[in-house]
Amino acid sequence: DVKVTQSSRYLVKRTGEKVFLECVQDMDHENMFWYRQDPGLGLRLIYFSYDVKMKEKGDIPEGYSVSREKKERFSLILESASTNQTSMYLCASSFANNGYTFGSGTRLTVV
Amino acid sequence: QQQVKQSPQSLIVQKGGISIINCAYENTAFDYFPWYQQFPGKGPALLIAIRPDVSEKKEGRFTISFNKSAKQFSLHIMDSQPGDSATYFCAAMIGQAGTALIFGKGTTLSVSS
């Protein structure tokens, strides 16, 4: 089974901090994605990548950046964390245009 | 045009009943329509998916019905069980490189015993 591992389940950071969320997949998928999940808003796409060093903005990229230096790893960066970035962050990967495999999520609280 | 509208927001069904969740889309270029199931504390997991060349797909108790002309698709859960209690998301995408799934806002299903 494909496994998508997110480095932290829970994270508490202070306003203004630079935050790194890490995601690693073990099945050589070319596509990787970052979504945030908020009650009543569903899953909203932040950024995605379809190849190493490639990135595409999703629907809500403001305040975020990403890095994909290796095929298996896709990092989400909050340049200066703000309280409105408190959320559940979900990483996913996929092969071609098939179903996504999601990680278990990182619940980030910015205080 | 990129939205996927999902309803209802929440649903309570008796054990053994049929659960029905509906989604609608605008972009006629969408050609892949999956449903995801999410349990508390877990990431969403692919449940079943359909492409627009068929009108129905069934896997066990789960069925997707697809109406291309109405731009709607729905998930039917037959003989609903308490273990089906979860949040369900519909999604859609254009099946080409450089695109990503657009998700509905989710439906929280509770199956009462």
Side-chain angles (χ1 to χ4, degrees), chain B residues 1-74:
Chain B
Q1 204 181 21
Q2 285 293 96
Q3 280 188 322
V4 177
K5 294 184 179 179
Q6 183 172 346
S7 63
Q9 188 173 352
S10 62
L11 184 60
I12 300 173
V13 172
Q14 296 268 41
K15 180 181 175 181
I18 301 173
S19 303
I20 302 174
I21 305 170
N22 300 299
C23 282
Y25 64 97
E26 287 296 323
N27 190 342
T28 54
F30 286 152
D31 61 1
Y32 176 65
F33 302 90
W35 284 89
Y36 283 79
Q37 180 188 54
Q38 185 181 31
F39 293 106
K42 302 286 188 182
L46 179 65
L47 186 62
I48 187 172
I50 198 168
R51 297 192 188 269
D53 52 344
V54 296
S55 61
E56 187 175 281
K57 183 174 181 180
K58 186 176 180 179
E59 290 184 3
R61 295 185 294 108
F62 300 90
T63 299
I64 299 180
S65 296
F66 184 78
N67 187 328
K68 190 173 181 178
S69 61
K71 291 184 284 186
Q72 294 176 348
F73 59 110
S74 59

Side-chain angles (χ1 to χ4, degrees), chain A residues 29-110:
Chain A
H29 285 174
E30 67 262 23
N31 302 318
M32 295 189 76
F33 310 85
W34 277 106
Y35 288 85
R36 64 177 282 178
Q37 181 175 10
D38 300 287
L41 297 179
L43 279 69
R44 293 181 291 166
L45 181 66
I46 305 172
Y47 268 98
F48 65 104
S49 168
Y50 51 88
D51 202 352
V52 176
K53 296 194 187 292
M54 303 300 289
K55 61 184 180 183
E56 293 284 343
K57 292 181 180 179
D59 299 319
I60 51 165
E62 297 78 17
Y64 303 95
S65 63
V66 290
S67 172
R68 193 163 180 205
E69 297 295 319
K70 293 185 178 182
K71 192 173 186 179
E72 67 271 18
R73 186 180 296 270
F74 192 36
S75 303
L76 180 69
I77 303 154
L78 286 65
E79 297 291 343
S80 177
S82 64
T83 55
N84 63 12
Q85 292 178 311
T86 291
S87 186
M88 170 68 84
Y89 290 88
L90 289 163
C91 175
S93 72
S94 76
F95 173 70
N97 294 312
N98 297 312
Y100 292 7
T101 299
F102 281 88
S104 295
T106 295
R107 185 165 293 282
L108 172 67
T109 302
V110 182

Side-chain angles (χ1 to χ4, degrees), chain B residues 13-19 77-82 84 111-113:
Chain B
V13 172
Q14 296 268 41
K15 180 181 175 181
I18 301 173
S19 303
I77 306 174
M78 311 301 288
D79 187 27
S80 299
Q81 299 297 313
D84 297 330
V111 180
S112 59
S113 53

